Amino acid sequence: MYRLPRLIAPALILLLIAIGPTCQADVAKTSSILLAVEDSWPPYSDTTGQGISTNILEQAFAAVDIKLMLRVYPYARVLDEIEKGILVGGYNVTRQASTEQKFLFGQQALLSASASFYFSTDNTQAQKYNSIADIPDGSSIGLIIDYEYGDTFEQHKHRFKQIKVSKQEQIINMLKLGRIDSAIMFDAVAQYTLDSMNLTKDSLLQGPLNHTSEIYVAFSRQHEKAQYFADKLDQGLLLIKKSGQYDNLLQH
């Protein structure tokens, strides 16, 4: 029977011991995911990253034995870290032509969210607007930095003066003070923010629908694990939709 030389056997044992933790670390990497999330889009994600989107993702990844971990940033930084491959992905990103050029998306959306034009209640003309095409050239429109507002807005945005800020509260205050002619806000976010500011829905005039966004996790095209996690998320979302858990999370 062949025996290893006495000097080789201990060396082999030491090598196996050294490799062991590395293998365990690789397994750990695939059992958790670190994603970036915006800090100013309640009720979907608030200043701590918590909200409807996060709840859905936690349960979807848990369904495929992956733990979700978060980094909470302003939206512009979320996109920057995904695009550079610093993080494997981030979420609450609208899937449209401009984002599909930059990011990798799975098949399953997190949720759908509608966004409308909003006006000051002093704007007597706003009730006559039925679509974005009716809003006059040169109008100033409040937007969030680096948000996506749909392909139709992309076609019209050259007609407007875009005023970009980082927080929903800033948009609402500018509307109320007459510093901008209108704004585009996601409807659930507008209502949530008005409530948090102790303002009623009637404090602003809701105008025509701008778009309905399909909201996704955007994965980095620069990250080696992107496709793996995109596929696992699709599996997890399908599982919680089949069980009825998704509908419960969306309603709450």
Side-chain angles (χ1 to χ4, degrees):
M1 179 177 177
Y2 179 77
R3 296 179 181 275
L4 289 170
R6 290 182 179 182
L7 292 177
I8 295 177
L12 181 59
I13 292 170
L14 290 173
L15 177 61
L16 291 172
I17 292 171
I19 292 173
T22 303
C23 293
Q24 293 174 2
D26 288 341
V27 172
K29 287 179 183 178
T30 59
S31 63
S32 64
I33 184 171
L34 179 61
L35 295 180
V37 58
E38 182 191 358
D39 62 358
S40 181
W41 206 49
Y44 302 107
S45 61
D46 61 16
T47 54
T48 64
Q50 298 304 306
I52 295 171
S53 297
T54 302
N55 294 341
I56 291 172
L57 276 177
E58 284 178 340
Q59 296 305 313
F61 278 122
V64 290
D65 299 320
I66 295 173
K67 181 180 179 181
L68 175 66
M69 297 184 294
L70 303 179
R71 284 188 181 169
V72 186
Y73 298 134
Y75 190 66
R77 185 173 176 185
V78 170
L79 298 183
D80 184 62
E81 296 220 350
I82 306 168
E83 189 169 7
K84 290 178 179 176
I86 297 171
L87 294 177
V88 65
Y91 57 100
N92 290 340
V93 178
T94 297
R95 186 171 186 170
Q96 62 182 48
S98 60
T99 55
E100 286 187 332
Q101 294 174 4
K102 297 179 180 179
F103 307 117
L104 174 70
F105 294 94
Q107 299 299 312
Q108 299 294 315
L110 280 183
L111 49 89
S112 295
S114 61
S116 300
F117 285 91
Y118 287 82
F119 304 89
S120 165
T121 54
D122 295 331
N123 189 330
T124 57
Q125 298 298 312
Q127 292 181 344
K128 300 178 181 179
Y129 304 150
N130 295 313
S131 72
I132 189 172
D134 297 327
I135 297 175
D137 291 359
S139 295
S140 56
I141 298 184
L143 306 168
I144 297 292
I145 297 169
D146 282 341
Y147 266 25
E148 305 88 24
Y149 290 97
D151 293 329
T152 301
F153 180 77
E154 289 294 314
Q155 298 168 13
H156 283 265
K157 68 180 184 180
H158 66 280
R159 301 197 295 112
F160 306 126
K161 181 181 180 182
Q162 299 174 53
I163 310 298
K164 297 186 176 183
V165 297
S166 59
K167 301 291 183 183
Q168 308 290 336
E169 292 86 352
Q170 293 172 279
I171 286 181
I172 290 173
N173 283 328
M174 287 192 298
L175 275 175
K176 289 184 64 62
L177 293 171
R179 293 179 180 172
I180 52 176
D181 298 317
S182 64
I184 302 174
M185 291 187 286
F186 285 89
D187 299 325
V189 178
Q191 185 58 60
Y192 188 98
T193 309
L194 285 168
D195 290 343
S196 70
M197 296 172 70
N198 294 316
L199 296 171
T200 66
K201 186 176 181 179
D202 295 337
S203 299
L204 298 178
L205 177 62
Q206 185 174 346
L209 179 73
N210 178 62
H211 74 301
T212 298
S213 281
E214 295 296 307
I215 305 299
Y216 281 78
V217 176
F219 292 95
S220 175
R221 293 187 179 276
Q222 309 303 319
H223 199 289
E224 62 179 1
K225 293 285 187 179
Q227 189 63 61
Y228 169 80
F229 282 118
D231 292 341
K232 297 299 286 186
L233 177 57
D234 281 342
Q235 294 173 25
L237 286 169
L238 287 172
L239 286 170
I240 65 171
K241 287 178 180 179
K242 184 177 180 180
S243 71
Q245 189 177 10
Y246 176 85
D247 289 336
N248 290 334
L249 292 168
L250 197 60
Q251 290 170 10
H252 290 87

